[in-house]
Amino acid sequence: MVHKTRMVKGQGLCWDLYDLQNESFLLSWKPPYFRLPLPQVPCNDDGALLDAWSFANDTNTKNFLYMANMDMLDRMLCDEHPLGNWDAYLLCDGRSDVLCHRRGYWWGMPFLRSYELTNNITYLHAAERVGEWYMLAQREDGGIFRETTSEGKTASYGLANSASAAACIFWMRLFQASRNTTWLNPVYRSLSYLLTQQMTTTQDENMFGAFIESSDPPKLGSSAPPWYVRDITQSFFAMAVATLFNLT
């Protein structure tokens, strides 16, 4: 829940770092990956404020959450860079132009959901720019790399398969909102690719059905396999399949 004391009034941002020992927000110190002057971000990942708004019972809370969502959308429209992404917020490498591979999903979904709620075409256009950025980031086989620049260039290693699944969810939601079949074209490519990343023959039965998240650079002098497995890949893939089944 976004508490009123966490909001930065008039900025569409929230204090992001909290000191548990002193029970207070950190108002000055910030890690090097922040690009904003202070450790503040729009805390509306996936449209979480709209989730809270839908469950709130009293009018004051609903109004606060709704306006907080709209203020953050206005802020994100101002901070959008490059088109369809946000390099000003955390989880970007402040020393380069590398973008976080799931960033577009986190901060694009509030626009898409707000369009579905309000029919404000500005929000749909913002969501479409996110979809276009993911199409730029998608490789020919359907994969997406963790280190993707604003021009769509990537490193040699570092696939992020959870990003491919997240992009599929976003493209399908865009189709549902706009009925533009263009958004379905990259879905087949990425979902087909992701199925090749699922382990169906394993020596460890606990790994059966798991998805590879990334291919990391080989470690010098080591024969360890360069495959990285994370639960987030399975989670986003399951969400993508559920979204596919619900397409109408």
Side-chain angles (χ1 to χ4, degrees):
M1 176 90 174
V2 176
H3 194 273
K4 293 182 180 180
T5 59
R6 190 182 180 192
M7 290 282 295
V8 183
K9 187 175 181 180
Q11 297 295 317
L13 297 169
C14 292
W15 295 107
D16 192 59
L17 302 176
Y18 191 79
D19 187 333
L20 292 174
Q21 183 175 358
N22 296 318
E23 297 184 349
S24 62
F25 292 104
L26 299 178
L27 305 184
S28 58
W29 179 85
K30 67 185 183 76
Y33 51 76
F34 273 78
R35 287 189 175 184
L36 294 182
L38 295 171
Q40 302 166 348
V41 293
C43 295
N44 197 12
D45 307 22
D46 299 357
L49 290 180
L50 292 180
D51 287 329
W53 171 81
S54 67
F55 285 106
N57 293 319
D58 65 279
T59 302
N60 288 337
T61 300
K62 290 184 77 74
N63 288 341
F64 167 72
L65 292 167
Y66 184 84
M67 293 308 302
N69 175 70
M70 296 306 171
D71 286 346
M72 289 184 191
L73 294 186
D74 290 342
R75 177 65 191 230
M76 288 190 286
L77 285 173
C78 292
D79 288 342
E80 182 182 0
H81 182 273
L83 291 178
N85 217 305
W86 289 267
D87 62 8
Y89 304 148
L90 80 168
L91 295 179
C92 272
D93 183 348
R95 296 160 297 180
S96 70
D97 60 351
V98 171
L99 296 161
C100 176
H101 46 295
R102 290 185 300 272
R103 163 182 315 281
Y105 177 88
W106 291 336
W107 282 298
M109 194 60 75
F111 285 105
L112 188 51
R113 294 181 60 183
S114 294
Y115 169 72
E116 294 169 344
L117 182 66
T118 66
N119 288 321
N120 186 329
I121 198 68
T122 298
Y123 299 152
L124 176 61
H125 290 334
E128 288 173 334
R129 292 193 294 273
V130 173
E132 289 167 354
W133 185 86
Y134 272 121
M135 291 177 73
L136 174 70
Q138 187 188 52
R139 305 296 88 181
E140 290 187 6
D141 63 357
I144 291 177
F145 278 73
R146 179 179 181 86
E147 296 187 8
T148 301
T149 69
S150 56
E151 292 80 29
K153 296 180 180 180
T154 70
S156 298
Y157 294 94
L159 281 165
N161 290 333
S162 58
S164 297
C168 287
I169 298 168
F170 204 87
W171 289 321
M172 287 186 280
R173 291 287 297 270
L174 270 173
F175 166 72
Q176 289 178 310
S178 66
R179 312 312 296 179
N180 184 347
T181 57
T182 298
W183 302 117
L184 296 180
N185 296 332
V187 172
Y188 175 79
R189 182 189 298 177
S190 280
L191 285 181
S192 298
Y193 159 77
L194 285 168
L195 288 174
T196 70
Q197 301 298 292
Q198 187 177 33
M199 291 181 257
T200 57
T201 303
T202 62
Q203 293 180 340
D204 184 347
E205 63 180 14
N206 294 315
M207 298 299 292
F208 180 80
F211 283 80
I212 295 169
E213 165 65 1
S214 65
S215 56
D216 295 334
K219 295 180 179 179
L220 185 64
S222 172
S223 62
W227 312 119
Y228 183 43
V229 177
R230 290 186 66 189
D231 59 344
I232 195 171
T233 323
Q234 286 77 241
S235 299
F236 272 101
F237 180 79
M239 291 168 59
V241 172
T243 305
L244 177 63
F245 286 160
N246 288 318
L247 277 184
T248 57

